[in-house]
Amino acid sequence: MYSIKQVVEMLDIPSVTLRAWENRYQAVIPERTESGYRLYSQENIEDLRWLKEQTGKQGISISHAVRMLKTRKQKDQEDRLIVTGGDPRDAFDKMKQQIYTALYEFQGERAEGLIDFGFSLYGYEAMVYQVLVPVLIKVGDSWEEGEATVAQEHYMTHMISNRLTQFFHVFPVYAHLPKMLAFCPAGEHHQIGLLLFSLFLRKNGVEVIYLGANTPEEGIMDMLEKQRRIGAACLSVTDKDLVPYCEELLERLSSKYPEMQFIVGGKGYETAGLQAPKAGYKMNESPEQWQAWFDQEFAGIRHRM
């Protein structure tokens, strides 16, 4: 809890303004001590910060900003009631729809709030694989069917990808495990599958050097020259026409780095029909099968940690 003096210092809002916002517009309702002094919660702080942003930078009147805030908080509360009741599968479906709709309508702040709430409610595994991944699939389907514009598809994918990449800095790295390089080859711009597999590796303690989409071959070679501890390279491709180039690239890499393991995945490899790709492992299976592969491949190293 914070005193009014602390709030004034944190938010740079004059105390007379705070009192006016409270008394005239009921912007926030702080608690009171027995002596009558105001005490502000963290939620009060965030609400006041938001109101200052709307009135100062957006030029909105305080009365209108307070109405907007109360409408938003009421909507958030309704969303939370919707996604917390009944069968868990129904709750996941409702949350997926809520997040998708918010992103589709470019309501980024509302989508962020729903995603934050989902992680607090369901945890990492369920939120990623039961909610966010299906939302990404729905985004792709909507774009292919013409329901979503290119701008909407880019915005929605970018928002969720950003949330997922934040977890790269959350999980610990185990120095005993080899580093892994993750990239999409030149010409491949879809990286969600690669990102999910890289997050799986990071959750298991692997340091992943993530190069992302449309990585030129010279950049890959340069990275491998500089990072001698890289023990595996992962690539993902959705365009089957790029698979022959990927196979040639893997041939060149394996010739130069014979001890390195190669992992491939993506719709390109699913539709290309290769029975024996140059890579030793295809990551087109479910996350549970990823874990079985990882435990078997690195059991000895993990045991020595």
Side-chain angles (χ1 to χ4, degrees), residues 17 22 48 62 85 99 215 237 274:
T17 300
E22 293 168 24
L48 288 168
I62 182 60
I99 293 172
T215 305
V237 59
L274 289 180

Side-chain angles (χ1 to χ4, degrees), residues 37-71:
Y37 293 106
R38 291 172 169 82
L39 289 177
Y40 296 83
S41 67
Q42 186 61 46
E43 183 178 358
N44 294 152
I45 299 296
E46 296 305 319
D47 289 346
L48 288 168
R49 182 177 285 115
W50 188 86
L51 289 170
K52 182 184 177 184
E53 173 81 13
Q54 302 308 307
T55 57
K57 294 184 179 180
Q58 305 300 329
I60 299 173
S61 69
I62 182 60
S63 59
H64 184 49
V66 169
R67 288 196 297 271
M68 289 172 58
L69 176 65
K70 291 181 178 180
T71 299

Side-chain angles (χ1 to χ4, degrees), residues 2 6 18 22 29-30 35 41-42 56 69 85 115 128 138 165 176 181 191 199 215 231 259-260 267 271:
Y2 303 91
Q6 290 173 310
L18 283 179
E22 293 168 24
I29 303 176
S35 304
S41 67
Q42 186 61 46
L69 176 65
I115 293 171
V128 169
K138 182 175 175 61
T165 54
H176 294 78
L181 185 68
Q191 58 181 317
L199 277 171
T215 305
E259 301 301 320
M260 185 176 294
K267 287 185 177 180
T271 57

Side-chain angles (χ1 to χ4, degrees), residues 158-218:
H158 179 71
M159 288 285 291
I160 296 179
S161 297
N162 277 351
R163 291 306 303 261
L164 294 176
T165 54
Q166 292 174 5
F167 286 96
F168 271 86
H169 309 290
V170 172
F171 303 120
V173 170
Y174 301 136
H176 294 78
L177 294 173
K179 293 182 181 179
M180 295 197 185
L181 185 68
F183 65 92
C184 294
E188 177 58 65
H189 298 275
H190 297 87
Q191 58 181 317
I192 293 301
L194 181 75
L195 176 59
L196 291 172
F197 190 73
S198 298
L199 277 171
F200 158 76
L201 293 173
R202 281 291 291 110
K203 190 171 184 292
N204 279 273
V206 176
E207 182 178 354
V208 179
I209 301 174
Y210 189 82
L211 301 182
N214 194 29
T215 305
E217 185 170 335
E218 56 267 27

Side-chain angles (χ1 to χ4, degrees), residues 273-291:
L274 289 180
Q275 297 300 315
K278 294 290 190 298
Y281 178 67
K282 289 177 66 177
M283 55 183 178
N284 292 332
E285 296 82 0
S286 66
E288 292 77 18
Q289 290 171 300
W290 291 352
Q291 192 64 57

